[in-house]
């Protein structure tokens, strides 16, 4: 369920490394994989948290009152207000959801709601509904590493909340510039 390209699970909770699907959702995942095309193949946005998974290339900027993520893939971006503004109306759903951030020490905590449920978590067709609520935590470990963790809760699909975690490492090639990866 949660295997990445290296064969190890990115799922840190539950300890067995499996997505805690409700019984009805397991056949839906299989049907998604068998019948539908991965939204990434169609050049659609990757969504949260998939946009951050390797081999993602992105840049993080911190203008006043926001954290901005610019992604090489599809020229996508996320704007995460950190100025305390209210979330969007629940009727408005987005590919990357509605993000609202706050700082807890050196950790950026991002509350993500209002996702449209069209992206998949991965190529294996793991999915969620528009009722999903995610809380991301970006913790600076050293000058070149951010520990990324996301708690995922969707009572329509999962039997319990669960978590994914992986490192985000600085790409340090001299003179690297974003390329136009326009699907």
């Amino acid at each position: 369920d949660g295997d990445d390209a290296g064969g190890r699970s990115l799922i840190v909770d539950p300890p067995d490394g499996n997505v805690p699907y409700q019984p009805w959702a397991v056949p839906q995942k299989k049907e998604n994989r068998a019948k539908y095309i991965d939204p990434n193949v169609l050049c659609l946005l990757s969504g949260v948290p998939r946009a951050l998974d390797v081999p993602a290339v992105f840049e993080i900027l911190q203008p006043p009152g926001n954290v901005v993520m610019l992604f090489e893939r599809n020229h996508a971006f996320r704007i995460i207000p950190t100025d305390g503004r209210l979330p969007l109306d629940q009727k408005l759903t987005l590919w990357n959801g509605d993000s609202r951030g706050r700082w807890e020490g050196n950790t950026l905590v991002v509350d993500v709601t209002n996702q449209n449920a069209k992206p998949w978590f991965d190529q294996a067709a793991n999915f969620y509904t528009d009722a999903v609520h995610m809380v991301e935590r970006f913790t600076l470990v050293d000058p070149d590493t951010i520990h990324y963790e996301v708690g995922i809760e969707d009572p329509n699909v999962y039997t319990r909340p669960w978590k994914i975690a992986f490192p985000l490492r600085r790409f340090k090639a001299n003179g690297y510039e974003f390329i136009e990866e326009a699907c």
Side-chain angles (χ1 to χ4, degrees):
D1 282 352
D3 284 351
D4 68 3
R8 61 184 163 68
S9 181
L10 300 176
I11 299 171
V12 295
D13 181 34
D16 67 6
N18 291 312
V19 177
Y21 280 121
Q22 293 180 17
W24 74 266
V26 174
Q28 180 63 56
K29 177 197 165 192
K30 291 177 183 172
E31 181 179 335
N32 289 351
R33 181 138 173 116
K35 287 174 115 176
Y36 304 112
I37 297 172
D38 179 344
N40 273 11
V41 173
L42 299 173
C43 301
L44 301 171
L45 293 177
S46 297
V48 176
R50 187 175 182 185
L52 294 170
D53 196 9
V54 251
V57 176
F58 61 96
E59 183 175 6
I60 300 173
L61 307 172
Q62 295 184 57
N66 294 287
V67 172
V68 177
M69 295 181 179
L70 305 174
F71 295 90
E72 191 170 65
R73 185 177 188 284
N74 285 348
H75 303 289
F77 62 89
R78 281 179 73 190
I79 298 173
I80 304 167
T82 57
D83 59 6
R85 73 181 70 173
L86 294 175
L88 297 174
D89 186 291
Q90 291 179 342
K91 292 181 241 167
L92 182 60
T93 60
L94 308 165
W95 280 85
N96 286 327
D98 179 32
S99 297
R100 295 294 182 258
R102 67 184 184 282
W103 291 98
E104 291 180 2
N106 69 337
T107 299
L108 173 64
V109 179
V110 182
D111 196 46
V112 186
T113 58
N114 298 31
Q115 295 200 57
N116 68 12
K118 294 180 181 177
W120 292 349
F121 279 117
D122 52 25
Q123 293 177 348
N126 284 301
F127 71 101
Y128 51 89
T129 70
D130 60 4
V132 72
H133 175 223
M134 298 184 191
V135 177
E136 299 174 292
R137 299 180 68 81
F138 297 82
T139 305
L140 190 62
V141 174
D142 62 46
D144 296 322
T145 311
I146 293 173
H147 175 76
Y148 176 75
E149 180 178 287
V150 59
I152 302 158
E153 190 171 343
D154 185 342
N156 294 340
V157 181
Y158 312 121
T159 59
R160 67 190 286 280
W162 56 291
K163 289 184 182 179
I164 296 172
F166 52 89
L168 302 172
R169 292 190 174 88
R170 184 184 307 269
F171 186 66
K172 295 174 24 170
N174 288 333
Y176 182 82
E177 294 182 32
F178 274 12
I179 60 170
E180 182 176 354
E181 190 182 324
C183 226

